[in-house]
């Protein structure tokens, strides 16, 4: 497998093709996500759409190390106080829930295929105003993070922009999980924290880098826990959590969102 921070223009063009497909798949999943629908039904639709498009699910069977339980499904379908990494299953959505779908794809489905990663949170039916604010603030914090992406800026510029906006709005940003490089693998260096972290703050962005920026925002405390399935992450205080993510390339003079429609 190839490694390195910098992707060629040709590689970025392929990641963009994959990202466009992935954005279309996620759009269809979100419109299918209605009260009464089980998350496993969304998962089956996701895998079908990805394979029909010539890609492969990136999360299904994913493990950080051979000793880890492989992730069982194509999408992460995290509801309410679930932050991320929830396997799809028999849970049936109900009005008042919020659902975060995180989805990754390898495209094309060959050994040298390239990876994209994105996420969005949707309200199912009607939700209280504070919940609507959580979704709006999280989506906007991603935009503000992306706006900092250009050659010469640092990862700290992204982190600071996201953290400030989220905290100014009275919410907290998850710290134990962070964004990441993406392309040759679904998770690559560098780490892209959504809060100011001195370890990565001075890392300079360069033309050709591709990163996934993914703020996870809680209404309450920033702390999180892993459930017994070894995957599902929940907020420690049970408060609601939202997640928005795009794969973004650093290009001359700025950035390009590769997972836009
Ligand atoms: Mg990611």
């Amino acid at each position: 497998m190839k490694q390195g921070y910098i992707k060629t223009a040709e590689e970025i063009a392929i990641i963009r093709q994959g990202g466009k497909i992935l954005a279309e798949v996620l759009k269809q999943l979100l419109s299918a996500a209605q009260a009464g629908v089980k998350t496993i039904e969304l998962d089956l639709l996701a895998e079908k759409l990805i394979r029909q498009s010539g890609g492969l699910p990136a999360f299904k069977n994913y493990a950080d190390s051979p000793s880890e339980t492989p992730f069982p499904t194509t999408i992460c379908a995290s509801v309410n106080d679930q932050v991320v990494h929830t396997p799809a299953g028999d849970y049936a959505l109900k009005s008042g829930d919020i659902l975060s779908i995180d989805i990754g794809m390898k495209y094309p489905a060959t050994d040298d295929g390239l990876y994209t990663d994105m996420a969005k949170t949707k309200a199912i039916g009607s939700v209280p105003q504070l919940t609507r604010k959580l979704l709006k603030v999280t989506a906007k914090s991603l935009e503000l993070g992306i706006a900092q992406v250009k050659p010469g800026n640092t990862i700290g510029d992204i982190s600071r922009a996201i953290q400030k906006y989220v905290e100014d709005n009275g919410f907290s940003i998850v710290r134990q999980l962070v964004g990441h490089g993406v392309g040759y693998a679904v998770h690559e260096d560098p780490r892209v924290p959504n809060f100011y972290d001195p370890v990565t703050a001075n890392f300079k962005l360069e033309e050709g880098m591709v990163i996934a920026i993914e703020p996870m925002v809680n209404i309450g405390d920033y702390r999180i826990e892993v459930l017994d399935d070894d995957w599902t992450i929940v907020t420690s205080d049970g408060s609601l959590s939202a997640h928005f993510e795009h794969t973004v390339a650093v290009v001359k003079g700025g950035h390009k969102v590769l997972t836009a429609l």
Side-chain angles (χ1 to χ4, degrees):
M1 188 182 69
K2 283 184 77 174
Q3 281 183 323
Y5 296 135
I6 306 300
K7 276 76 187 176
T8 65
E10 292 74 24
E11 288 168 338
I12 289 175
I14 293 167
I15 298 173
R16 173 64 184 134
Q17 279 177 25
K20 215 178 241 179
I21 293 169
L22 193 66
E24 183 56 44
V25 170
L26 181 55
K27 187 181 163 194
Q28 291 195 44
L29 297 179
L30 290 171
S31 85
Q34 304 289 342
V37 173
K38 291 180 178 175
T39 59
I40 194 70
E41 298 176 80
L42 300 174
D43 191 70
L44 294 172
L45 176 61
E47 181 164 359
K48 187 178 95 178
L49 293 172
I50 284 178
R51 289 182 183 276
Q52 276 174 358
S53 312
L56 282 177
F59 299 162
K60 197 170 186 174
N61 299 316
Y62 176 91
D64 272 329
S65 69
S67 63
E68 228 177 40
T69 315
F71 190 76
T73 56
T74 294
I75 59 168
C76 305
S78 304
V79 177
N80 299 334
D81 65 326
Q82 295 166 349
V83 180
V84 285
H85 301 173
T86 311
D90 279 334
Y91 182 79
L93 297 168
K94 54 185 194 321
S95 181
D97 283 345
I98 55 170
L99 168 70
S100 302
I101 297 181
D102 191 350
I103 186 165
M105 180 175 72
K106 182 187 190 188
Y107 178 85
T110 52
D111 284 347
D112 57 355
L114 295 164
Y115 289 83
T116 48
D117 190 1
M118 75 183 300
K120 281 196 169 126
T121 303
K122 176 191 175 175
I124 309 296
S126 71
V127 298
Q129 202 205 324
L130 183 64
T131 309
R132 288 203 302 277
K133 182 182 172 189
L134 173 71
L135 269 51
K136 248 175 115 171
V137 166
T138 311
K140 178 75 181 175
S141 75
L142 172 58
E143 267 180 47
L144 294 172
I146 291 171
Q148 293 297 322
V149 178
K150 61 178 176 191
N153 267 13
T154 61
I155 285 184
D157 291 323
I158 301 171
S159 309
R160 251 188 305 256
I162 294 172
Q163 180 176 21
K164 179 167 188 342
Y165 184 73
V166 167
E167 293 180 351
D168 283 354
N169 276 282
F171 299 137
S172 69
I173 192 87
V174 169
R175 300 181 182 206
Q176 279 167 269
L177 298 166
V178 298
H180 49 88
V182 57
Y184 304 133
V186 69
H187 294 130
E188 297 176 338
D189 284 337
R191 291 161 61 85
V192 183
N194 302 296
F195 62 99
Y196 182 79
D197 178 358
V199 177
T200 51
N202 295 322
F203 187 100
K204 266 213 166 48
L205 300 172
E206 284 176 58
E207 195 180 332
M209 286 178 56
V210 179
I211 54 176
I213 305 177
E214 50 176 322
M216 290 151 261
V217 175
N218 301 346
I219 284 185
D221 190 88
Y222 67 83
R223 273 168 287 203
I224 56 173
E225 287 167 20
V226 190
L227 296 187
D228 287 341
D229 64 4
D230 288 339
W231 280 110
T232 306
I233 307 270
V234 296
T235 57
S236 297
D237 63 4
S239 69
L240 296 180
S241 187
H243 180 212
F244 285 78
E245 176 178 22
H246 270 308
T247 296
V248 182
V250 185
V251 300
K252 197 171 184 160
H255 57 262
K256 188 169 170 134
V257 179
L258 302 179
T259 43
L261 278 170

